[in-house]
Amino acid sequence: MNRIKKGDIVGRISYGKDIAFVVERIIKTHDSKFAILKGLTVRVQADSDLDDLELMEPMQIAEHVKMLEENVAKRIQGHVQERENKARQLFREKAIVYTGKILHLDGDKKYSEKSNRYYKKIGLNAIVKNIPERKQPFYVANLLQKYQPDILVVTGHDRND
């Protein structure tokens, strides 16, 4: 068995390595060791006994990321196609299309950037701000007043910092 350490990319054996995780830290107790895990491609945090973890090979990681990106691309394309169809129908009916403005606050820079890319691909009017979770309460009122969004999305509260 390979020794698992902080920064390794692993999968949980008991879950069929369905999600690739980065080992955030390893915690030792009096009788065992477990890892705190952060999703590599999805916004999730978990913990696991070290015995249930297996290092993922670079090819496995690349395939995992490729499959996720293909799935996201298909979903985005489906959404874009649906919007185009609705827009054509509304144009024929001479209706006005308004999607609203989104303000998205996220405590994780990586996921803020990813969310912003997806909003742009879909063609949504979104403002994404990367603000640490503990500071978000101090910024929300001012940002709501400044941007006057129709939708507020607040993510990133899965951590204890």
Side-chain angles (χ1 to χ4, degrees):
M1 178 179 132
N2 292 330
R3 186 166 120 53
I4 306 289
K5 62 188 179 310
K6 181 179 177 177
D8 284 345
I9 299 176
V10 298
R12 294 178 295 178
I13 298 165
S14 61
Y15 287 84
K17 297 194 285 183
D18 59 341
I19 298 175
F21 289 97
V22 176
V23 176
E24 288 278 294
R25 67 180 193 252
I26 295 176
I27 298 174
K28 299 174 187 175
T29 63
H30 63 281
D31 61 348
S32 67
K33 290 182 183 179
F34 66 97
I36 302 298
L37 308 169
K38 180 179 177 182
L40 179 67
T41 56
V42 294
R43 185 149 179 74
V44 66
Q45 192 171 39
D47 60 50
S48 176
D49 277 344
L50 289 185
D51 293 338
D52 191 35
L53 299 177
E54 187 174 286
L55 287 171
M56 294 182 76
E57 298 295 326
M59 288 294 287
Q60 289 176 299
I61 297 165
E63 185 63 29
H64 185 85
V65 170
K66 180 182 173 190
M67 284 177 34
L68 177 85
E69 290 297 324
E70 287 173 355
N71 187 10
V72 169
K74 284 179 191 174
R75 289 174 57 196
I76 288 172
Q77 184 57 40
H79 180 75
V80 168
Q81 187 64 48
E82 183 179 320
R83 279 191 59 190
E84 287 173 357
N85 292 343
K86 284 182 182 178
R88 278 192 285 277
Q89 179 183 356
L90 291 170
F91 180 74
R92 285 191 297 270
E93 297 170 6
K94 298 190 180 3
I96 296 172
V97 178
Y98 179 69
T99 60
K101 185 190 304 182
I102 300 167
L103 173 60
H104 183 153
L105 309 180
D106 195 310
D108 187 303
K109 184 174 179 165
K110 177 178 141 187
Y111 290 107
S112 296
E113 292 168 352
K114 183 185 272 190
S115 297
N116 198 33
R117 280 194 311 273
Y118 291 147
Y119 285 133
K120 285 180 180 177
K121 280 184 182 179
I122 293 171
L124 295 176
N125 182 11
I127 298 150
V128 180
K129 297 289 183 184
N130 175 237
I131 301 171
E133 289 89 344
R134 67 184 173 279
K135 294 182 180 180
Q136 288 177 0
F138 305 108
Y139 284 86
V140 172
N142 287 337
L143 291 170
L144 288 172
Q145 187 174 17
K146 179 178 180 178
Y147 294 109
Q148 299 182 356
D150 299 295
I151 300 167
L152 173 64
V153 177
V154 181
T155 57
H157 287 76
D158 54 352
R159 299 169 60 148
N160 296 335
D161 33 86

